[in-house]
Amino acid sequence: MDSTALDQAISELSTAKQRWAGLPIADRLDYLSRIRTLLAGRSEAWIALAAKAKGLRQDSPLLNEEWLGGPYAVLTWINAITETLQAIDAGTDPLRGSKVSERADGQTVVRVAPHDFNEWLLLNGFSTEVWMEPGVTAANVRDHIGSAYRTPRSTGQVALVLGAGNVSSIAPLDLLYKLYADNEVVVCKLNPVNDYLGPTFEEIFAPLIEDGFLRFVYGGADVGEYLCTHPSVDSIHVTGSERTHDAIVYGAGPEAGDRRERDERVNTKPVSAELGGVGPTIVVPGPWSKADIEFQAEHIATQKLQNSGFNCIASQVLVLPEGWEHTEALIAAVRTALDRAEQRPAYYPGADDRRQGAADAYPQAEALAGNRTLVTGVDATDPKAYAFTNEFFAPVLATTTLPAESAAEFLELAVTFANERLHGTLGANILVHPRTIRELGPKLDDAAAALRYGTVAINAWTAVGYLSPRATWGAFPGHTPDDVQSGIGVVHNALLFDRPQKTVVRGPFTPFPRSISAGELAMSPRPPWFVTNKTALVTAERLTQFAVDGKVRRLPGILMSAMRG
């Protein structure tokens, strides 16, 4: 798009920004209702486009990723934010149905999932909590919800959203968050990697576009640069790389690094960002069986291979206990799972170069089937290890080991390692046997508290947090533009928390029915997001249909498909 068209889009938004800022909640809810209806009618077209672009056959179980990470994620967020806004408008409790508690150290915890019986049934054994920043108490947490509605700005603003090219729901969720949480109209520049979805998005969001509150624009880095410096753009949100963030804030060219060192910003607009990083999966030693090893190997392979590895929270470093009797068996099982998973193209630009970078850094790198790479034995004591400081953003997994005499000692060492050696703070995973959980007692929660990550998943993958609409999504708070790592601020957050610190997800260590014999009260089978789940596509489609209308008659079909997975 040329500058004239971009200026026109910004001018139209500037004209409408004050109207949006003063729009009653009832009218905002009407837009959400109309968008939900349009999305339901265009979701199949959305998926067909994504399948073609990513080289997936139309009946591949892997298409569940496009349903869950596309229409489903947007629909569930719309449903959740609708409930929140209805409560704010009626003056009732937005946290109705959410348990509020405090940890022993006083930190306030809000359980945001399961939110109702349907969530409890469909994701049985999974739960999600949002942990608040210090100073937020169980008594005042409701005072820290929805500041844009308690104390709205007196003037409207225009936000620029720079969409991501990997997961198709990111741009829609980010623009909705700017509209409904930050109270700003939006110009959304789609990433050239997935801007093929632009016409479909324009159809889905037509009500907002027609009334001047949203514009989609297209183009490369030059368009993004023009919009970032446009005098009528008040704020910027970017999902992408740390390099992109720094180019926005500190400019390009050889002097950009020096400007960053001096924190000399060429762009002083507020910039929020979600930027990925090096995600760990910590394996706590315990009495794992052969079945446990095989299931968790599938879990780890999923954390790496989902979306062909092009996820900001793809597991990158598998942190294992040195000397544990099952370490080598688990590595072997992970190797097999990576090797056998359905092949797919590495569709995201630059993947081959990033894989080669890992291979160049590690002579022991193993080329597996298709485009996958496994790097074992990375030295945990090397603070500048390539695998610890560079996000692969490709189907490449590394392993490292830490010595410890006990599970508690290993967990403490692993937390320190993740916090101090790995670049980024977006998401961390912990895999731990139920018996070990009981032995650890409060030390497991203390480890979750100590991990400086925006989402911590215990016996789950942090992507569950991404799909939990009432959870927060973003880096651990405290980053600054000159050391941004995984970003600044949060999105999703359908309960509109003003001061969240992190999201903590918990899941069952074993699938049903083995979960019962393991002492876990969970009926979840192999999750539908697993790359090994053969009925995942059907389950994901049915979950999306349920998100559209909430009809109870759909539940048996969802559960039957899930159990066959």
Side-chain angles (χ1 to χ4, degrees):
M1 296 180 70
D2 60 25
S3 59
T4 301
L6 297 173
D7 288 342
Q8 179 65 27
I10 298 295
S11 175
E12 291 167 354
L13 290 166
S14 297
T15 300
K17 65 183 182 182
Q18 199 62 38
R19 189 157 41 91
W20 178 261
L23 201 67
I25 288 178
D27 292 345
R28 294 175 183 236
L29 289 170
D30 180 64
Y31 283 110
L32 290 174
S33 177
R34 291 156 64 191
I35 290 167
R36 182 196 292 111
T37 300
L38 291 167
L39 198 165
R42 288 156 178 80
S43 58
E44 290 188 3
W46 178 339
I47 300 306
L49 288 167
K52 181 180 179 181
K54 294 185 178 182
L56 296 173
R57 66 178 195 274
Q58 293 290 340
D59 62 346
S60 170
L62 297 177
L63 269 182
N64 83 87
E65 301 170 2
E66 301 310 315
W67 282 99
L68 295 179
Y72 175 81
V74 180
L75 284 164
T76 55
W77 190 87
I78 287 175
N79 294 341
I81 194 69
T82 295
E83 285 192 21
T84 299
L85 293 180
Q86 287 173 338
I88 291 174
D89 197 35
T92 58
D93 185 6
L95 296 185
R96 184 173 60 87
S98 299
K99 178 183 176 182
V100 181
S101 61
E102 290 187 354
R103 286 179 18 86
D105 63 0
Q107 185 171 21
T108 298
V109 173
V110 181
R111 191 196 67 183
V112 298
H115 176 72
D116 54 27
F117 175 77
N118 291 333
E119 285 190 3
W120 175 85
L121 183 65
L122 292 172
L123 283 173
N124 194 263
F126 287 85
S127 66
T128 306
E129 301 164 342
V130 177
W131 295 17
M132 300 299 161
E133 289 185 344
V136 179
T137 68
N140 69 23
V141 65
R142 289 166 178 81
D143 298 331
H144 295 281
I145 291 176
S147 60
Y149 295 90
R150 292 196 317 274
T151 55
R153 294 192 186 99
S154 58
T155 58
Q157 293 197 340
V158 176
L160 166 63
V161 169
L162 298 172
N166 56 337
V167 177
S168 62
S169 62
I170 291 177
L173 287 172
D174 288 352
L175 70 86
L176 283 168
Y177 194 75
K178 294 300 287 185
L179 280 157
Y180 281 86
D182 293 345
N183 206 17
E184 300 173 349
V185 296
V186 174
V187 53
C188 178
K189 191 194 88 67
L190 294 176
N191 192 297
V193 175
N194 64 359
D195 64 6
Y196 56 83
L197 289 168
T200 301
F201 287 166
E202 290 184 9
E203 292 175 352
I204 290 169
F205 291 100
L208 291 170
I209 294 172
E210 290 166 0
D211 289 350
F213 302 132
L214 173 66
R215 290 289 182 270
F216 286 98
V217 298
Y218 305 87
D222 57 330
V223 172
E225 181 179 2
Y226 183 82
L227 292 170
C228 285
T229 57
H230 198 288
S232 295
V233 168
D234 300 296
S235 71
I236 301 167
H237 178 79
V238 55
T239 298
S241 69
E242 188 173 355
R243 183 177 62 256
T244 300
H245 167 272
D246 290 351
I248 293 170
V249 177
Y250 298 105
E255 297 83 17
D258 293 336
R259 286 195 291 268
R260 176 177 171 175
E261 288 293 321
R262 299 190 300 268
D263 195 18
E264 188 178 286
R265 307 173 198 182
V266 298
N267 191 329
T268 58
K269 302 178 194 291
V271 180
S272 57
E274 190 264 87
L275 306 173
V278 177
T281 294
I282 297 167
V283 177
V284 182
W288 291 31
S289 67
K290 185 175 184 294
D292 295 334
I293 291 170
E294 291 176 352
F295 178 76
Q296 292 301 338
E298 294 179 30
H299 195 179
I300 294 162
T302 295
Q303 295 173 7
K304 178 74 275 177
L305 296 182
Q306 205 262 9
N307 198 28
S308 200
F310 304 124
N311 285 327
C312 50
I313 36 86
S315 178
Q316 177 159 315
V317 178
L318 188 59
V319 185
L320 295 157
E322 186 179 304
W324 181 44
E325 59 180 328
H326 299 305
T327 290
E328 294 305 319
L330 180 59
I331 292 174
V334 169
R335 180 185 291 109
T336 298
L338 293 172
D339 212 37
R340 291 181 178 175
E342 181 178 328
Q343 297 297 313
R344 66 175 93 184
Y347 69 89
Y348 208 91
D352 290 341
D353 291 340
R354 291 189 294 275
R355 286 181 62 238
Q356 189 59 49
D360 291 344
Y362 299 106
Q364 74 272 33
E366 304 172 48
L368 303 179
N371 49 31
R372 289 123 193 211
T373 301
L374 177 64
V375 181
T376 57
V378 179
D379 183 1
T381 65
D382 181 2
K384 297 182 179 179
Y386 186 86
F388 303 162
T389 56
N390 295 272
E391 182 181 6
F392 292 153
F393 207 69
V396 181
L397 179 68
T399 76
T400 192
T401 58
L402 298 172
E405 295 295 327
S406 66
E409 182 184 355
F410 172 80
L411 186 55
E412 184 177 352
L413 287 173
V415 168
T416 300
F417 167 81
N419 284 341
E420 297 182 359
R421 295 292 174 95
L422 304 184
H423 189 74
T425 65
L426 187 62
N429 312 287
I430 301 173
L431 302 179
V432 53
H433 192 279
R435 191 184 306 170
T436 310
I437 291 176
R438 292 190 288 271
E439 293 170 358
L440 288 169
K443 291 179 181 178
L444 182 58
D445 257 25
D446 291 344
L451 280 164
R452 295 194 295 270
Y453 287 81
T455 299
V456 176
I458 301 171
N459 288 337
W461 180 28
T462 47
V464 179
Y466 178 94
L467 290 176
S468 299
R470 294 173 178 84
T472 57
W473 186 250
F476 191 78
H479 294 308
T480 54
D482 58 327
D483 184 25
V484 72
Q485 296 206 38
S486 290
I488 297 171
V490 299
V491 289
H492 302 189
N493 187 26
L495 284 167
L496 302 177
F497 294 118
D498 295 340
R499 295 180 59 194
Q501 184 194 72
K502 67 173 63 173
T503 286
V504 177
V505 177
R506 303 172 199 268
F509 180 77
T510 52
F512 182 81
R514 282 199 304 114
S515 54
I516 304 304
S517 61
E520 296 181 294
L521 299 177
M523 294 182 293
S524 288
R526 177 184 284 105
W529 53 85
F530 269 39
V531 294
T532 51
N533 190 310
K534 300 305 181 184
T535 63
L537 174 56
V538 173
T539 304
E541 287 181 285
R542 291 176 178 177
L543 281 168
T544 304
Q545 292 165 353
F546 181 71
V548 170
D549 56 31
K551 292 182 178 178
V552 176
R553 63 176 173 81
R554 298 193 186 278
L555 293 176
I558 296 171
L559 296 173
M560 288 176 61
S561 177
M563 287 297 177
R564 292 196 302 267

